[in-house]
Structures are given as C-alpha cells and as structure tokens.
Amino acid sequence: MLPTSSSATTTHPLPDLSDTRIAFASKSDRELWQAQQLFRIIGNPTITGVGSWLTKVALALRLPISGLVKATIFKQFCGGETITESLATARRLAASGIGTILDHSVEGQDDESSLDDTVSEVLRTIEAAKGRGEIPFCVFKPTGIARMELLEQVSAGGERTPAIQAEWQRAMARMERICQAAFDADVPVLVDAEESWIQPAVDERTEAMMARFNRKRAIVYNTVQLYRHDRLAYLRAAHARAQAAGYHFGVKLVRGAYMEKERERAAAKGYADPIQPDKAASDRDYDSALRYCLEHLDDMAIVAGTHNEQSSLLLARLMGERGLPNNDPRICFSQLLGMSDNISFNLSAAGYRVAKYVPYGPVREVLPYLIRRANENTSARGQTGRELGLILAERRRRAK
Ligand SMILES: Cc1cc2nc3c(=O)[nH]c(=O)nc-3n(C[C@H](O)[C@H](O)[C@H](O)COP(=O)(O)OP(=O)(O)OC[C@H]3O[C@@H](n4cnc5c(N)ncnc54)[C@H](O)[C@@H]3O)c2cc1C
C-alpha cells in the first residue's frame, strides 16, 4: 500500500539518490550481475542496432527467440505478458512501498476491433487496480483507442465527413467508458501524450472528461510535455479553465519522447518547430511547471514522470519548503520499470509516493517498446551509461 496519510507535516532532508544500497536492495547478486550484462550489451550502439534488427527478423520469421528475449531485456523492462504475471512485479515493488501503473504496451494496431480490444484491456487494468493500493493509477495512450489519422484530422479542425464524425463518436465513447470505469473504481487514469499534431483533440477530450469526473478529486489526468515551448502556457490556461468550471486539474508532467519525429515533421512540412530550442529550455520549463503546480495544489494533483534527478529533487525540495508531508496524496513521482531505480527506491524509502510504469504484453508485441528502451540506454562508444554506472557502483559496494 502506498503511503497517503496527510496528517504528518514533518519534512525530511532531501533523499540521497545516489544510495545504491537502497536502490538495488530488492535485487540479488545474481540479478544485479544479469542487469549489468544487459546494460553492457545494450550500451553498445553496434550490438543494439544489429540486435534490434535481428530480433525483429527472427520474430517475424517465427524463430523461437521469445524465450531469450523474455529472460533478458523483457525481464528488465516489462512486468510480464499478462496482468496476472505483472501482479508479481507489482507485489515486488509494493514490498519497497512503490506503486505499479499497469501499461498495456501493445502498439500500432488501429482497426476498430483492436481499438475495442485495447479498451477492454484497460478496463481489466482498472479492475485489477480497484481496491489495491499498490496499483495507484491506470494509463492509456490515445492512439490505443483512436486511429492516429482520425486524431490528426480532428485536431486540425475543419469539415468532417459523416463517416469521420461517426468514427470520432466511437472514439469518444471508448474514452468515456475508460474514464467512467476509473471513476466508478476510484482509480485515477493517466492519458499519455504523443505527437503534437494529435494533441489538440486529446486535450479537448481529456479536459471534458476532467470536467465530468474530477469534481471531488483528480481522477482523469492529462499529460503535459514540457519539451514543447508552448506547453507551460497550456498548463496555465487549462488550469484556469478547470478553476473557472470548478473541477480538479490532474496532470502528468513529462519532458516528452518524440523530439526527433517532431523536428523532422516540422522541417519536412515547413512549419515552426514545436520543440524547445535546447535541452536547457526543456529543463527550465519542466521545473517551472513543477513550481506552478505546487503553488496551485489546492485544486491540482500531479504525477512527475521523469528520470531527471535534479527535477525529482527540486520537487522534493519544493514540497519541504511548503511544509507538505512527503506522502502528500496529490503528488506522485513516477519512473519506468527497470530504469532509474535509484530515484524510485530512494524517494520511496524517504516516504514519498512513487509509482512505476510496468509495461506488459506478449513478448512479440512489446518489442517496439523494448527496442526504444535499448536505444535510449545506448551510449556513445566507451562511455558508461547512467544505469550501468549505478549497477557497477552497487556491485563494488557489495564486494567490499
Ligand atoms: C512515468 C513516465 C511517463 C511518461 N509518459 C510520457 C508521455 O505520456 N508522453 C511522452 O511524450 N513521454 C512520456 N515519458 C517520457 C518522457 O517524456 C521523457 O522522454 C523521458 O522521461 C526522458 O526525460 P526525463 O525528464 O526523464 O529526463 P532527461 O534525461 O533529463 O531529459 C531528456 C529529455 O529532455 C528533452 N530534450 C533532450 N534533448 C533536447 C534538446 N536538444 N532540446 C529540447 N529538449 C531536449 C527530451 O524530452 C528528452 O526526452 C514518460 C516518462 C516517464 C518516466
């Protein structure tokens, strides 16, 4: 169960995020060694590039490599192939006070029956979370329940054919089913953010869902990507709309995951790049968003989805400065399974609310997700990646 008492107002010194003993306490020596080998391999750009390609080919040819993938990279970054399998991961995280956000990570299927299947799966995650403190949120991706091109078309505005209008009605009904179920189960639901060109439709619908279901507390959360230069302004404007209409504003703050794609499309189509000019600008707006939210917590709830240590510590510091208990129920820190355990476990040990995205799905279907994680952890030749560095530090500590 995640700590959520709001009675205590004690503040603690900032947690030490470099404490690898706490970060890896749940990992045996053998598990640590396996994680080291994995990060060594995926840290090599050549191996990762060739390996990703070979894995795709092998799976497409139905060669029996699922077992190998499952025992290695899948084990590091995924909870299991099904909700039931992932519950074991949830229990393991819960033993360290960390919550699980079951993330059905099957991508790229957009026929109507696949979209309906995704809704059924998200409803099952809500059912699994109901009454279970160790699963404090559910999540879905807009493109899991609506076709990308549909979202793009609606976002662009303009005339809709009757067929498009009918398809849009079906997509809206899917979102309503999920949000209604989340409300009925009293399990907050996060709406992930994807590409900027589909976000207007997502924002409009998510705010409509908030207006309906967030009267007493935040059940529906939108995601704000601060790598976009216009999103701090959006955060303020959307919050003002929530205040005017009298509902709680739920928001997950992230930097954003589609930078190259955004820049390439803007250049190809000749419109202004929606992304910040540099990393420092993304960092500045992310931290400003944290500050803004903390100043307006009376009618807001936030999830800080980040692997950035400075931003995580800033949020912890701001909470302390405002006299908030570390376990304030309106604030949750969040990282992905298998990454930044130093942040998750040390914050949790210091009494903060932490929940990890736990991706799950059949090995073959979560492969795009795994390849993204591998690429993200690939470092320039000769450099030790951050995750690998932490693992090595812990192995050295244990060897003493
Ligand atoms: C729990 C969780 C949920 C998430 N949900 C979503 C989601 O719904 N939608 C989504 O898009 N992403 C999501 N992400 C991914 C997130 O957006 C980031 O891509 C990822 O977390 C890396 O950013 P960071 O804050 O962890 O840290 P850092 O490593 O400090 O930041 C890296 C990020 O900075 C930005 N950046 C890097 N270089 C530049 C540059 N030159 N110019 C401008 N900006 C730059 C990019 O956004 C990059 O991803 C989620 C992440 C987590 C942990």
Side-chain angles (χ1 to χ4, degrees):
M1 175 75 86
L2 287 184
T4 54
S5 143
S6 54
S7 54
T9 49
T10 46
T11 54
H12 301 282
L14 288 183
D16 173 8
L17 300 183
S18 65
D19 187 332
T20 59
R21 185 183 59 81
I22 291 179
F24 298 112
S26 69
K27 282 211 178 341
S28 66
D29 289 349
R30 185 174 161 71
E31 285 169 335
L32 207 55
W33 180 82
Q34 286 172 334
Q36 177 188 327
Q37 299 313 313
L38 181 75
F39 279 107
R40 268 237 158 92
I41 291 170
I42 62 180
N44 181 316
T46 314
I47 299 183
T48 298
V50 176
S52 303
W53 182 80
L54 277 179
T55 310
K56 273 192 242 170
V57 171
L59 284 174
L61 294 174
R62 309 221 158 239
L63 297 178
I65 64 150
S66 289
L68 179 66
V69 175
K70 194 167 179 185
T72 53
I73 187 164
F74 184 93
K75 187 174 157 209
Q76 177 71 23
F77 296 114
C78 293
E81 294 203 68
T82 60
I83 292 177
T84 310
E85 265 183 43
S86 306
L87 291 180
T89 304
R91 279 192 293 275
R92 189 175 55 75
L93 291 173
S96 300
I98 296 174
T100 284
I101 304 174
L102 290 170
D103 180 18
H104 185 234
S105 295
V106 174
E107 303 170 11
Q109 295 163 344
D110 63 4
D111 56 283
E112 291 280 300
S113 87
S114 300
L115 300 174
D116 287 336
D117 287 349
T118 302
V119 175
S120 305
E121 189 63 29
V122 176
L123 294 179
R124 282 192 281 276
T125 65
I126 294 173
E127 195 51 41
K130 191 174 167 180
R132 255 201 192 104
E134 68 262 30
I135 308 184
F137 297 93
C138 288
V139 66
F140 71 93
K141 274 198 167 37
T143 54
I145 62 165
R147 220 166 34 89
M148 179 88 179
E149 292 71 22
L150 175 71
L151 289 165
E152 184 175 355
Q153 212 167 335
V154 173
S155 293
E159 289 267 314
R160 291 179 204 160
T161 63
I164 289 292
Q165 186 54 25
E167 192 184 348
W168 182 233
Q169 294 291 347
R170 289 194 296 276
M172 289 194 295
R174 287 188 194 104
M175 185 159 178
E176 277 174 35
R177 272 188 77 193
I178 292 174
C179 295
Q180 180 73 56
F183 178 81
D184 292 342
D186 203 23
V187 176
V189 60
L190 311 175
V191 182
D192 272 351
E194 298 170 86
E195 290 84 351
S196 60
W197 53 96
I198 64 168
Q199 198 59 41
V202 176
D203 287 342
E204 191 277 319
R205 275 297 87 200
T206 308
E207 287 184 39
M209 294 295 100
M210 284 196 213
R212 212 156 116 192
F213 297 113
N214 289 13
R215 293 278 153 192
K216 291 211 178 93
R217 72 170 188 124
I219 289 287
V220 179
Y221 286 58
N222 201 6
T223 297
V224 171
Q225 300 158 310
L226 283 311
Y227 71 173
R228 282 180 54 181
H229 53 66
D230 58 347
R231 293 307 267 183
L232 192 54
Y234 166 79
L235 173 67
R236 294 199 182 101
H239 175 231
R241 284 191 286 277
Q243 282 180 314
Y247 59 87
H248 290 255
F249 191 70
V251 64
K252 169 161 61 93
L253 301 175
V254 300
R255 281 181 172 74
Y258 306 89
M259 187 171 74
E260 283 83 15
K261 203 169 171 188
E262 291 281 357
R263 290 211 205 278
E264 277 166 23
R265 185 176 190 267
K269 295 196 176 245
Y271 60 85
D273 186 352
I275 305 296
Q276 306 268 15
D278 51 33
K279 170 83 163 64
S282 295
D283 292 347
R284 186 201 56 220
D285 275 11
Y286 190 90
D287 292 349
S288 300
L290 288 177
R291 286 195 185 87
Y292 179 83
C293 290
L294 275 236
E295 281 160 16
H296 297 91
L297 263 192
D298 284 349
D299 53 8
M300 266 197 171
I302 67 166
V303 171
T306 182
H307 295 154
N308 183 297
E309 291 178 14
Q310 276 71 40
S311 295
S312 301
L313 286 174
L314 172 68
L315 176 54
R317 182 163 64 74
L318 293 173
M319 289 171 70
E321 283 171 7
R322 302 190 84 80
L324 300 173
N326 289 358
N327 59 2
D328 191 293
R330 297 161 296 184
I331 300 171
C332 188
F333 297 74
S334 189
Q335 290 78 40
L336 308 181
L337 185 75
M339 290 180 69
S340 295
D341 280 349
N342 64 313
I343 298 181
S344 312
F345 283 75
N346 281 300
L347 284 174
S348 176
Y352 295 92
R353 294 179 73 229
V354 180
K356 289 192 89 104
Y357 266 41
V358 173
Y360 73 93
V363 171
R364 186 178 296 279
E365 290 171 33
V366 298
L367 206 61
Y369 176 85
L370 292 176
I371 290 173
R372 276 208 304 282
R373 291 289 81 79
N375 288 331
E376 206 171 277
N377 284 286
T378 294
S379 52
R381 196 175 296 274
Q383 269 180 6
T384 305
R386 194 170 68 140
E387 301 291 341
L388 182 57
L390 290 162
I391 294 168
L392 290 172
E394 174 59 6
R395 289 201 73 212
R396 274 196 300 275
R397 192 195 66 79
R398 288 188 190 183
K400 274 186 195 152

PDB file of all heavy atoms in Angstrom, residues 325-346:
ATOM      1  N   PRO A 325       3.670  17.125   3.665  1.00  0.00           N
ATOM      2  CA  PRO A 325       4.252  15.833   4.055  1.00  0.00           C
ATOM      3  C   PRO A 325       4.829  15.149   2.830  1.00  0.00           C
ATOM      4  O   PRO A 325       4.329  15.338   1.710  1.00  0.00           O
ATOM      5  CB  PRO A 325       3.049  15.049   4.603  1.00  0.00           C
ATOM      6  CG  PRO A 325       1.863  15.685   3.976  1.00  0.00           C
ATOM      7  CD  PRO A 325       2.203  17.132   3.746  1.00  0.00           C
ATOM      8  N   ASN A 326       5.867  14.343   3.024  1.00  0.00           N
ATOM      9  CA  ASN A 326       6.477  13.658   1.878  1.00  0.00           C
ATOM     10  C   ASN A 326       5.461  12.800   1.125  1.00  0.00           C
ATOM     11  O   ASN A 326       5.578  12.598  -0.079  1.00  0.00           O
ATOM     12  CB  ASN A 326       7.634  12.772   2.349  1.00  0.00           C
ATOM     13  CG  ASN A 326       8.826  13.604   2.806  1.00  0.00           C
ATOM     14  OD1 ASN A 326       8.797  14.832   2.736  1.00  0.00           O
ATOM     15  ND2 ASN A 326       9.867  12.936   3.277  1.00  0.00           N
ATOM     16  N   ASN A 327       4.470  12.295   1.863  1.00  0.00           N
ATOM     17  CA  ASN A 327       3.500  11.398   1.220  1.00  0.00           C
ATOM     18  C   ASN A 327       2.199  12.111   0.838  1.00  0.00           C
ATOM     19  O   ASN A 327       1.140  11.492   0.820  1.00  0.00           O
ATOM     20  CB  ASN A 327       3.199  10.216   2.139  1.00  0.00           C
ATOM     21  CG  ASN A 327       2.632  10.673   3.474  1.00  0.00           C
ATOM     22  OD1 ASN A 327       2.436  11.867   3.695  1.00  0.00           O
ATOM     23  ND2 ASN A 327       2.366   9.732   4.355  1.00  0.00           N
ATOM     24  N   ASP A 328       2.301  13.393   0.538  1.00  0.00           N
ATOM     25  CA  ASP A 328       1.095  14.139   0.154  1.00  0.00           C
ATOM     26  C   ASP A 328       0.367  13.385  -0.970  1.00  0.00           C
ATOM     27  O   ASP A 328       0.963  13.056  -1.997  1.00  0.00           O
ATOM     28  CB  ASP A 328       1.482  15.546  -0.331  1.00  0.00           C
ATOM     29  CG  ASP A 328       0.259  16.424  -0.484  1.00  0.00           C
ATOM     30  OD1 ASP A 328      -0.574  16.147  -1.372  1.00  0.00           O
ATOM     31  OD2 ASP A 328       0.127  17.392   0.292  1.00  0.00           O
ATOM     32  N   PRO A 329      -0.928  13.113  -0.777  1.00  0.00           N
ATOM     33  CA  PRO A 329      -1.641  12.273  -1.751  1.00  0.00           C
ATOM     34  C   PRO A 329      -1.819  12.914  -3.126  1.00  0.00           C
ATOM     35  O   PRO A 329      -2.183  12.224  -4.080  1.00  0.00           O
ATOM     36  CB  PRO A 329      -2.998  12.026  -1.083  1.00  0.00           C
ATOM     37  CG  PRO A 329      -3.137  13.093  -0.059  1.00  0.00           C
ATOM     38  CD  PRO A 329      -1.769  13.486   0.377  1.00  0.00           C
ATOM     39  N   ARG A 330      -1.551  14.228  -3.228  1.00  0.00           N
ATOM     40  CA  ARG A 330      -1.740  14.893  -4.537  1.00  0.00           C
ATOM     41  C   ARG A 330      -0.492  14.847  -5.404  1.00  0.00           C
ATOM     42  O   ARG A 330      -0.480  15.345  -6.528  1.00  0.00           O
ATOM     43  CB  ARG A 330      -2.149  16.362  -4.314  1.00  0.00           C
ATOM     44  CG  ARG A 330      -3.468  16.512  -3.597  1.00  0.00           C
ATOM     45  CD  ARG A 330      -3.624  17.888  -3.004  1.00  0.00           C
ATOM     46  NE  ARG A 330      -2.619  18.157  -1.968  1.00  0.00           N
ATOM     47  CZ  ARG A 330      -2.579  19.261  -1.233  1.00  0.00           C
ATOM     48  NH1 ARG A 330      -3.469  20.211  -1.423  1.00  0.00           N
ATOM     49  NH2 ARG A 330      -1.632  19.434  -0.313  1.00  0.00           N
ATOM     50  N   ILE A 331       0.583  14.267  -4.867  1.00  0.00           N
ATOM     51  CA  ILE A 331       1.856  14.282  -5.608  1.00  0.00           C
ATOM     52  C   ILE A 331       2.406  12.867  -5.719  1.00  0.00           C
ATOM     53  O   ILE A 331       2.465  12.137  -4.732  1.00  0.00           O
ATOM     54  CB  ILE A 331       2.894  15.165  -4.875  1.00  0.00           C
ATOM     55  CG1 ILE A 331       2.357  16.598  -4.763  1.00  0.00           C
ATOM     56  CG2 ILE A 331       4.246  15.135  -5.588  1.00  0.00           C
ATOM     57  CD1 ILE A 331       3.179  17.506  -3.885  1.00  0.00           C
ATOM     58  N   CYS A 332       2.793  12.491  -6.921  1.00  0.00           N
ATOM     59  CA  CYS A 332       3.409  11.182  -7.103  1.00  0.00           C
ATOM     60  C   CYS A 332       4.591  11.312  -8.065  1.00  0.00           C
ATOM     61  O   CYS A 332       4.497  12.011  -9.084  1.00  0.00           O
ATOM     62  CB  CYS A 332       2.378  10.206  -7.671  1.00  0.00           C
ATOM     63  SG  CYS A 332       2.966   8.503  -7.723  1.00  0.00           S
ATOM     64  N   PHE A 333       5.685  10.691  -7.729  1.00  0.00           N
ATOM     65  CA  PHE A 333       6.854  10.622  -8.614  1.00  0.00           C
ATOM     66  C   PHE A 333       6.719   9.347  -9.431  1.00  0.00           C
ATOM     67  O   PHE A 333       6.280   8.320  -8.907  1.00  0.00           O
ATOM     68  CB  PHE A 333       8.149  10.544  -7.803  1.00  0.00           C
ATOM     69  CG  PHE A 333       8.440  11.750  -6.934  1.00  0.00           C
ATOM     70  CD1 PHE A 333       7.725  11.967  -5.754  1.00  0.00           C
ATOM     71  CD2 PHE A 333       9.429  12.658  -7.297  1.00  0.00           C
ATOM     72  CE1 PHE A 333       7.999  13.072  -4.945  1.00  0.00           C
ATOM     73  CE2 PHE A 333       9.714  13.765  -6.488  1.00  0.00           C
ATOM     74  CZ  PHE A 333       8.996  13.975  -5.318  1.00  0.00           C
ATOM     75  N   SER A 334       7.142   9.383 -10.692  1.00  0.00           N
ATOM     76  CA  SER A 334       6.963   8.170 -11.492  1.00  0.00           C
ATOM     77  C   SER A 334       8.127   7.942 -12.457  1.00  0.00           C
ATOM     78  O   SER A 334       8.609   8.866 -13.111  1.00  0.00           O
ATOM     79  CB  SER A 334       5.646   8.276 -12.274  1.00  0.00           C
ATOM     80  OG  SER A 334       5.352   7.052 -12.882  1.00  0.00           O
ATOM     81  N   GLN A 335       8.560   6.680 -12.506  1.00  0.00           N
ATOM     82  CA  GLN A 335       9.621   6.269 -13.441  1.00  0.00           C
ATOM     83  C   GLN A 335       9.169   4.992 -14.142  1.00  0.00           C
ATOM     84  O   GLN A 335       8.164   4.400 -13.763  1.00  0.00           O
ATOM     85  CB  GLN A 335      10.943   6.001 -12.695  1.00  0.00           C
ATOM     86  CG  GLN A 335      11.623   7.243 -12.122  1.00  0.00           C
ATOM     87  CD  GLN A 335      10.996   7.743 -10.844  1.00  0.00           C
ATOM     88  OE1 GLN A 335      10.617   6.965  -9.993  1.00  0.00           O
ATOM     89  NE2 GLN A 335      10.838   9.058 -10.718  1.00  0.00           N
ATOM     90  N   LEU A 336       9.929   4.599 -15.161  1.00  0.00           N
ATOM     91  CA  LEU A 336       9.614   3.372 -15.888  1.00  0.00           C
ATOM     92  C   LEU A 336      10.284   2.178 -15.199  1.00  0.00           C
ATOM     93  O   LEU A 336      11.396   2.312 -14.660  1.00  0.00           O
ATOM     94  CB  LEU A 336      10.110   3.454 -17.339  1.00  0.00           C
ATOM     95  CG  LEU A 336       9.673   4.685 -18.146  1.00  0.00           C
ATOM     96  CD1 LEU A 336      10.230   4.599 -19.573  1.00  0.00           C
ATOM     97  CD2 LEU A 336       8.154   4.811 -18.197  1.00  0.00           C
ATOM     98  N   LEU A 337       9.615   1.022 -15.252  1.00  0.00           N
ATOM     99  CA  LEU A 337      10.206  -0.186 -14.672  1.00  0.00           C
ATOM    100  C   LEU A 337      11.576  -0.446 -15.305  1.00  0.00           C
ATOM    101  O   LEU A 337      11.752  -0.309 -16.516  1.00  0.00           O
ATOM    102  CB  LEU A 337       9.302  -1.404 -14.942  1.00  0.00           C
ATOM    103  CG  LEU A 337       9.777  -2.693 -14.276  1.00  0.00           C
ATOM    104  CD1 LEU A 337       9.498  -2.653 -12.775  1.00  0.00           C
ATOM    105  CD2 LEU A 337       9.112  -3.918 -14.881  1.00  0.00           C
ATOM    106  N   GLY A 338      12.542  -0.807 -14.461  1.00  0.00           N
ATOM    107  CA  GLY A 338      13.867  -1.169 -14.977  1.00  0.00           C
ATOM    108  C   GLY A 338      14.776   0.023 -15.186  1.00  0.00           C
ATOM    109  O   GLY A 338      15.915  -0.135 -15.609  1.00  0.00           O
ATOM    110  N   MET A 339      14.267   1.230 -14.938  1.00  0.00           N
ATOM    111  CA  MET A 339      15.101   2.422 -15.126  1.00  0.00           C
ATOM    112  C   MET A 339      15.022   3.318 -13.885  1.00  0.00           C
ATOM    113  O   MET A 339      13.985   3.410 -13.238  1.00  0.00           O
ATOM    114  CB  MET A 339      14.651   3.201 -16.362  1.00  0.00           C
ATOM    115  CG  MET A 339      14.991   2.444 -17.633  1.00  0.00           C
ATOM    116  SD  MET A 339      14.483   3.338 -19.091  1.00  0.00           S
ATOM    117  CE  MET A 339      15.636   4.712 -19.056  1.00  0.00           C
ATOM    118  N   SER A 340      16.140   3.979 -13.614  1.00  0.00           N
ATOM    119  CA  SER A 340      16.208   4.962 -12.525  1.00  0.00           C
ATOM    120  C   SER A 340      15.676   4.431 -11.197  1.00  0.00           C
ATOM    121  O   SER A 340      14.961   5.134 -10.481  1.00  0.00           O
ATOM    122  CB  SER A 340      15.458   6.237 -12.925  1.00  0.00           C
ATOM    123  OG  SER A 340      16.112   6.842 -14.005  1.00  0.00           O
ATOM    124  N   ASP A 341      16.053   3.201 -10.878  1.00  0.00           N
ATOM    125  CA  ASP A 341      15.654   2.662  -9.570  1.00  0.00           C
ATOM    126  C   ASP A 341      16.266   3.479  -8.443  1.00  0.00           C
ATOM    127  O   ASP A 341      15.730   3.504  -7.333  1.00  0.00           O
ATOM    128  CB  ASP A 341      16.086   1.185  -9.439  1.00  0.00           C
ATOM    129  CG  ASP A 341      15.120   0.262 -10.167  1.00  0.00           C
ATOM    130  OD1 ASP A 341      14.032   0.733 -10.580  1.00  0.00           O
ATOM    131  OD2 ASP A 341      15.443  -0.929 -10.329  1.00  0.00           O
ATOM    132  N   ASN A 342      17.389   4.136  -8.732  1.00  0.00           N
ATOM    133  CA  ASN A 342      17.987   4.963  -7.670  1.00  0.00           C
ATOM    134  C   ASN A 342      17.038   6.085  -7.265  1.00  0.00           C
ATOM    135  O   ASN A 342      16.926   6.426  -6.093  1.00  0.00           O
ATOM    136  CB  ASN A 342      19.344   5.532  -8.116  1.00  0.00           C
ATOM    137  CG  ASN A 342      19.232   6.486  -9.286  1.00  0.00           C
ATOM    138  OD1 ASN A 342      18.546   6.191 -10.269  1.00  0.00           O
ATOM    139  ND2 ASN A 342      19.870   7.642  -9.201  1.00  0.00           N
ATOM    140  N   ILE A 343      16.283   6.616  -8.254  1.00  0.00           N
ATOM    141  CA  ILE A 343      15.317   7.674  -7.918  1.00  0.00           C
ATOM    142  C   ILE A 343      14.110   7.043  -7.215  1.00  0.00           C
ATOM    143  O   ILE A 343      13.719   7.462  -6.121  1.00  0.00           O
ATOM    144  CB  ILE A 343      14.867   8.428  -9.196  1.00  0.00           C
ATOM    145  CG1 ILE A 343      16.078   9.114  -9.866  1.00  0.00           C
ATOM    146  CG2 ILE A 343      13.791   9.453  -8.874  1.00  0.00           C
ATOM    147  CD1 ILE A 343      15.747   9.896 -11.125  1.00  0.00           C
ATOM    148  N   SER A 344      13.534   6.018  -7.842  1.00  0.00           N
ATOM    149  CA  SER A 344      12.283   5.441  -7.310  1.00  0.00           C
ATOM    150  C   SER A 344      12.466   4.911  -5.887  1.00  0.00           C
ATOM    151  O   SER A 344      11.689   5.240  -4.990  1.00  0.00           O
ATOM    152  CB  SER A 344      11.815   4.272  -8.175  1.00  0.00           C
ATOM    153  OG  SER A 344      11.836   4.598  -9.537  1.00  0.00           O
ATOM    154  N   PHE A 345      13.503   4.071  -5.702  1.00  0.00           N
ATOM    155  CA  PHE A 345      13.621   3.388  -4.403  1.00  0.00           C
ATOM    156  C   PHE A 345      14.074   4.344  -3.302  1.00  0.00           C
ATOM    157  O   PHE A 345      13.633   4.225  -2.156  1.00  0.00           O
ATOM    158  CB  PHE A 345      14.557   2.165  -4.508  1.00  0.00           C
ATOM    159  CG  PHE A 345      13.881   0.982  -5.182  1.00  0.00           C
ATOM    160  CD1 PHE A 345      13.675   0.973  -6.556  1.00  0.00           C
ATOM    161  CD2 PHE A 345      13.430  -0.098  -4.451  1.00  0.00           C
ATOM    162  CE1 PHE A 345      13.046  -0.095  -7.194  1.00  0.00           C
ATOM    163  CE2 PHE A 345      12.791  -1.173  -5.070  1.00  0.00           C
ATOM    164  CZ  PHE A 345      12.605  -1.173  -6.443  1.00  0.00           C
ATOM    165  N   ASN A 346      14.945   5.304  -3.641  1.00  0.00           N
ATOM    166  CA  ASN A 346      15.380   6.233  -2.595  1.00  0.00           C
ATOM    167  C   ASN A 346      14.265   7.197  -2.207  1.00  0.00           C
ATOM    168  O   ASN A 346      14.109   7.531  -1.031  1.00  0.00           O
ATOM    169  CB  ASN A 346      16.643   6.987  -3.030  1.00  0.00           C
ATOM    170  CG  ASN A 346      17.890   6.123  -2.867  1.00  0.00           C
ATOM    171  OD1 ASN A 346      18.206   5.684  -1.757  1.00  0.00           O
ATOM    172  ND2 ASN A 346      18.584   5.855  -3.962  1.00  0.00           N
TER     173      ASN A 346
END
